[in-house]
Amino acid sequence: MNFQPVLLAAGRGERLAPVSDKTPKCLIPIGNVPMLWYPLRSLDLAGFSDVLIVILKSYESKISSALDHMQKKVPWKTEGFHYKFHSIVENIGEEEGTATSLLNIASVRKNDLLVISCDLITDVPLKSLIEKHTLHRATLTCLMKKLSKPEGALPGVRSKAIAKENNVVGIDETNDGLLFIYAAADHKDHINLTQTMLTRYPRMLLTSQLEDCHLYCISREALLSVPHATNCHSLRTELIPHLLTHQYTPGDFSIDEDKLSMDLVTKLSSWTDHTGDMHGPYHDTKTRCYVHVAESHNLCLRSNTVPDFYEANKQVCW
């Protein structure tokens, strides 16, 4: 596959305290298996054989030992499957530094990146995300799931419900285009929609019932163009908003010759991805973002908080 898988496993897991007080977040067990084993297994079953794991340098020996132990119990399915560590500096926050790592990886790799968080457990076929990204020659394609309430109470005397701060997501209903992701905390009273956005996407779905699963396909060309445009350190709060906003700004990220050729073929054909105006396919822009929403029957869990960690252990059995 023409994608470089990148597994993000450098977070300290502050929101998982006290579970993460003495254990690296990616090694916290879920169903008696280290957390990062699940996304690695998903990549293995999808046929990938070369995975980069972003970790903190101080945890490299611990993580390597844990993966070697698991590999002896459950061998990899893909022939030649292997992983390499991409170590980063200490003293970073939960989100800080993730985008910087991806920019560094993109500068030495030739393919688009498939980025997955170590706290994601899913049986969503990765090829569904990859196919959508490849079909539209997208800048960004991300996986989301419909919000669901955990069943039952959390363990412990002091446990209480923890409300999630939902995002407001804008989606083009004609082709699953991802138009924006606004933090609800920043837009409690109103949301500003530009004339350009409303004219270009008249069939827009606004929802606060979708959750970002932290699984992304990201264009290498877009990543290489980011340092010239802005200073991004966090993947979720800086890089992704920058890519989404770039859909409405003049100019495009530079793209390789193969994608340019396909764009030319699409433009010369009668095919279009939308109706309602005389603009060409994709509104004549090369910056395109999409969303893939997991089906209701798919398992799609994140373990980045104590309630989510509890819920994952209820549902997962190894």
Side-chain angles (χ1 to χ4, degrees), residues 2-8 48 52 54 98-116 129-130 133 138-141 215-221 223-224 235 239 259:
N2 294 324
F3 283 82
Q4 173 60 59
V6 179
L7 176 55
L8 300 178
F48 290 101
L52 280 176
V54 179
T98 50
T100 306
S101 297
L102 296 181
L103 298 178
N104 291 335
I105 291 169
S107 66
V108 297
R109 298 283 169 156
K110 296 182 179 180
N111 300 323
D112 289 355
L113 303 187
L114 175 64
V115 182
I116 185 170
L129 195 77
I130 292 170
H133 185 84
T139 302
L140 168 72
T141 307
L215 173 58
Y216 314 100
C217 293
I218 308 178
S219 161
R220 175 180 179 268
E221 292 79 14
L223 287 171
L224 294 179
L235 170 62
L239 177 58
K259 292 180 181 178

Side-chain angles (χ1 to χ4, degrees), residues 34-45:
M35 184 186 295
L36 102 149
W37 182 259
Y38 293 98
L40 263 182
R41 192 66 171 173
S42 294
L43 292 169
D44 174 29
L45 295 176

Side-chain angles (χ1 to χ4, degrees), residues 275-292:
T275 59
D277 58 45
M278 298 299 292
H279 291 290
Y282 305 112
H283 297 278
D284 300 315
T285 178
K286 298 181 181 66
T287 306
R288 309 189 273 263
C289 301
Y290 293 87
V291 62
H292 179 78

